[in-house]
Amino acid sequence: ALYTEPYRPQIHFSPSTGFMNDPNGLVKSGDTWHMYFQYNPNATVAGFQHWGHATSKDLYHWQNHLYAIAPDSDDQGIFSGSAVLDVNNTSGFFNDSVPADSRFVAIYTLNTPTAQNQNIAYSTDGQNYTKYSGNPVISLNTTQFRDPKVFWDEQKSRWVMAVSHSQDYQIGFYASTNLREWNEVSRFGPSGILGYQYECPDLLQIPISGGDKDGQKAWVLVLSINPGAPLGGSFIQAFIGDWDGTNFKPWDGSTQIVDFGKDFYAAQTFYNAPNDQAILIGWVGNWQYANAVPTSPWRSSMTVPRQMTVRYIDMNPMHKGYQVTMEPYGLESLQKQQTNENTTSSNGNQTVSLDGNGAFEILANLSYPSTNYSVNPRAEFLIHTPNQGEYLKVGILYGDPTTVYVDRRLAGKEWSDSNPFFTDRFSQQFHPITTDNSTKQIVRVHMIVDRMQSELFVQDGVASASILHFWDNEAKPSSLSVGLGDDQIKLDSLQVNAINSTWP
Ligand code: FRU
């Protein structure tokens, strides 16, 4: 049966069959979260792009539906884009009888051999879409113009679209009062890391925590780059700044990497999330090897939903000031069983078996007593499978600054050795939290391990990483061992939870 394959993620979304890439049209309507996604129903490689569709009440238990938007011919693709609820019927597409939160409008790129144009389609159930007869709504006679993300901008009471002029390294901002007629109001860029193409922009507001802007919101431009990532291939950067309804200006001109793993791309946030929260889902993949990863009969999965916060970090060596952070959203609602004894203040190595057939969550608090660093003040978390010598390593190396590192060299040697782009080690630096009297430097680790994918969140998401690992012989994770490389490091607490599969 589907969803029982050994590599199949058990709490993350993946399509039943076929190839998936970017999340598209993320929107909450009533109590239902809709996720569309770039989807090739006919093969497990990218091509013949449709908008696949799934819905969920909790962002973890998903119901698959037939694709929602299909190309009219096989030389066309329905490329990435967004969806909104046209509650005031600005478009004129809806009868009065259609409830406000059932007025779906999707905005996407139609890719043809000769052009990329922005198109729209509308629906009263989120599943059956009618393409607008006046399409395209923006056409510039170029093949490098895509991925429209639309939001309702209260500042000027109008719709705003961020869309990528990919190979000009610019984001175009367009405004509209009816979703059908659009005018360019400004452009942003070139800025930040350029790589080869800008893709999938998302301009959104994110709540601020800490600093003198505590409780306010920041405007953040999330921007995907491919290829040209620091680790190769695809990655996402973000700019924090101001949006005045017309122009986006980053505060300090600098850019941030939001996830230091290699498998996090084309993320977008939900339209109409409760309480204006910024809830983001990313594609777990990298164009350097997405068409070749060893899964079947599907390829690719999504991250868990991540709640974004802009935190003031006064000691972050990588970026003093405000920083985009991400943590799992709604994970506490899933059914879990703790699989280890509660550990407090333990020293030395220990092993916890990962019993269960679903995914696992690891919550660990580490502390180190001083800033007088010894030779090897590190703690390592190894995720083993039954295969001899096979493990994924996540380490915390105390120092000034402290480093979190991931090493997947031995997490499935067959695959990592065979793919030259499957970069196997990456790290990010940060500062531990110091207690008031500065005697303890605390590091909090939160990790989700789900068959062939893991997500790591350190220090409330100041560092996060999305990681693929294809174990030899399609093995499953079977135990966690924690090694403390220094007798001054304390594992203040360790909790390992087995999370029930969210797939039937
Ligand atoms: C990003 C991307 C988008 C495009 C889509 C096509 O991964 O290249 O720019 O719309 O994928 O599937």
Side-chain angles (χ1 to χ4, degrees):
L2 291 166
Y3 293 98
T4 61
E5 301 90 346
Y7 274 153
R8 181 74 84 166
Q10 295 296 302
I11 64 163
H12 289 88
F13 180 80
S14 58
S16 56
T17 60
F19 183 88
M20 178 177 77
N21 51 294
D22 316 357
N24 293 152
L26 302 182
V27 59
K28 188 171 196 204
S29 165
D31 62 357
T32 303
W33 302 86
H34 291 259
M35 178 163 65
Y36 307 89
F37 47 87
Q38 285 294 282
Y39 186 50
N40 183 352
N42 294 354
T44 46
V45 290
F48 199 33
Q49 300 298 83
H50 292 55
W51 271 29
H53 185 210
T55 53
S56 175
K57 303 284 185 207
D58 67 358
L59 294 166
Y60 293 91
H61 295 81
W62 290 99
Q63 195 184 339
N64 285 309
H65 303 287
L66 184 66
Y67 47 77
I69 308 179
D72 293 331
S73 61
D74 60 13
D75 64 347
Q76 297 190 349
I78 307 296
F79 271 22
S80 284
S82 50
V84 298
L85 300 177
D86 185 13
V87 293
N88 294 320
N89 195 20
T90 63
S91 62
F93 290 148
F94 305 99
N95 293 330
D96 288 349
S97 63
V98 179
D101 62 2
S102 298
R103 298 174 178 183
F104 294 84
V105 178
I107 307 95
Y108 59 90
T109 300
L110 180 68
N111 183 67
T112 68
T114 52
Q116 292 184 335
N117 292 323
Q118 311 326 317
N119 285 233
I120 60 178
Y122 51 94
S123 168
T124 57
D125 60 6
Q127 174 61 37
N128 299 292
Y129 276 86
T130 304
K131 289 173 185 156
Y132 172 48
S133 58
N135 277 333
V137 294
I138 311 178
S139 130
L140 298 180
N141 201 21
T142 160
T143 56
Q144 293 296 327
F145 179 45
R146 60 182 177 274
D147 308 337
K149 179 74 162 76
V150 175
F151 65 96
W152 176 256
D153 190 11
E154 264 150 26
Q155 286 179 81
K156 297 208 164 147
S157 295
R158 60 185 186 181
W159 301 102
V160 169
M161 175 196 295
V163 58
S164 175
H165 297 277
S166 297
Q167 295 182 357
D168 298 331
Y169 309 115
Q170 288 189 315
I171 299 308
F173 292 108
Y174 287 74
S176 173
T177 53
N178 58 16
L179 293 165
R180 290 182 276 110
E181 295 150 305
W182 294 90
N183 293 310
E184 184 176 323
V185 295
S186 69
R187 286 200 190 196
F188 170 77
S191 192
I193 296 176
L194 304 182
Y196 182 62
Q197 302 174 101
Y198 275 9
E199 298 182 321
C200 301
D202 190 355
L203 179 65
L204 71 147
Q205 284 189 287
I206 302 183
I208 297 175
S209 169
D212 51 18
K213 293 183 162 63
D214 185 56
Q216 300 175 21
K217 285 184 173 179
W219 285 94
V220 175
L221 178 65
V222 175
L223 182 53
S224 289
I225 304 298
N226 178 68
L231 294 171
S234 357
F235 88 116
I236 302 180
Q237 64 186 326
F239 302 88
I240 304 178
D242 291 316
W243 167 256
D244 62 8
T246 304
N247 289 287
F248 175 74
K249 289 212 177 64
W251 285 343
D252 56 5
S254 74
T255 188
Q256 304 180 2
I257 294 175
V258 293
D259 181 301
F260 74 94
K262 198 170 172 172
D263 303 300
F264 185 72
Y265 197 58
Q268 72 164 243
T269 53
F270 276 90
Y271 188 83
N272 195 37
N275 308 317
D276 294 330
Q277 295 168 101
I279 312 298
L280 170 128
I281 290 182
W283 172 48
V284 179
N286 188 308
W287 280 119
Q288 281 187 328
Y289 44 75
N291 283 312
V293 295
T295 60
S296 155
W298 86 100
R299 274 205 181 96
S300 294
S301 55
M302 296 298 184
T303 63
V304 294
R306 297 177 173 196
Q307 177 160 13
M308 306 176 86
T309 307
V310 169
R311 290 184 198 282
Y312 185 76
I313 315 284
D314 60 358
M315 325 173 284
N316 190 323
M318 304 309 291
H319 189 92
K320 211 184 183 82
Y322 287 96
Q323 190 179 328
V324 176
T325 66
M326 298 181 290
E327 295 168 277
Y329 175 73
L331 192 65
E332 59 288 344
S333 72
L334 299 185
Q335 288 193 322
K336 303 172 183 180
Q337 301 84 39
Q338 187 167 345
T339 68
N340 68 325
E341 300 288 311
N342 270 324
T343 304
T344 42
S345 282
S346 67
N347 290 309
N349 299 342
Q350 56 176 299
T351 300
V352 179
S353 82
L354 299 179
D355 293 321
N357 203 28
F360 300 91
E361 173 185 41
I362 299 161
L363 295 147
N365 276 12
L366 297 163
S367 66
Y368 190 75
S370 68
T371 52
N372 184 14
Y373 301 107
S374 63
V375 182
N376 198 19
R378 69 174 77 183
E380 289 187 334
F381 298 81
L382 308 187
I383 313 297
H384 304 266
T385 70
N387 294 330
Q388 182 64 30
E390 185 173 69
Y391 55 82
L392 172 71
K393 183 191 285 186
V394 171
I396 303 291
L397 177 63
Y398 273 95
D400 189 14
T402 289
T403 304
V404 51
Y405 54 95
V406 174
D407 183 343
R408 60 181 180 183
R409 274 175 298 176
L410 299 178
K413 276 185 74 61
E414 217 173 279
W415 172 255
S416 29
D417 289 357
S418 72
N419 192 297
F421 303 116
F422 200 66
T423 309
D424 47 31
R425 279 168 289 176
F426 24 89
S427 62
Q428 183 170 321
Q429 291 174 309
F430 64 100
H431 270 301
I433 296 161
T434 16
T435 49
D436 288 346
N437 49 11
S438 292
T439 55
K440 256 189 164 189
Q441 303 184 75
I442 297 164
V443 173
R444 287 200 286 262
V445 176
H446 188 182
M447 189 172 175
I448 301 167
V449 180
D450 192 3
R451 303 290 174 92
M452 54 45 153
Q453 74 178 103
S454 292
E455 287 182 77
L456 174 65
F457 302 90
V458 179
Q459 223 71 320
D460 304 326
V462 166
S464 58
S466 171
I467 309 148
L468 285 169
H469 35 70
F470 299 101
W471 314 106
D472 291 347
N473 311 316
E474 300 184 286
K476 298 177 193 170
S478 57
S479 68
L480 161 74
S481 62
V482 186
L484 302 177
D486 179 304
D487 61 9
Q488 294 199 78
I489 294 185
K490 300 274 183 280
L491 186 59
D492 285 343
S493 67
L494 175 68
Q495 186 177 341
V496 180
N497 296 321
I499 311 177
N500 289 5
S501 174
T502 56
W503 293 94

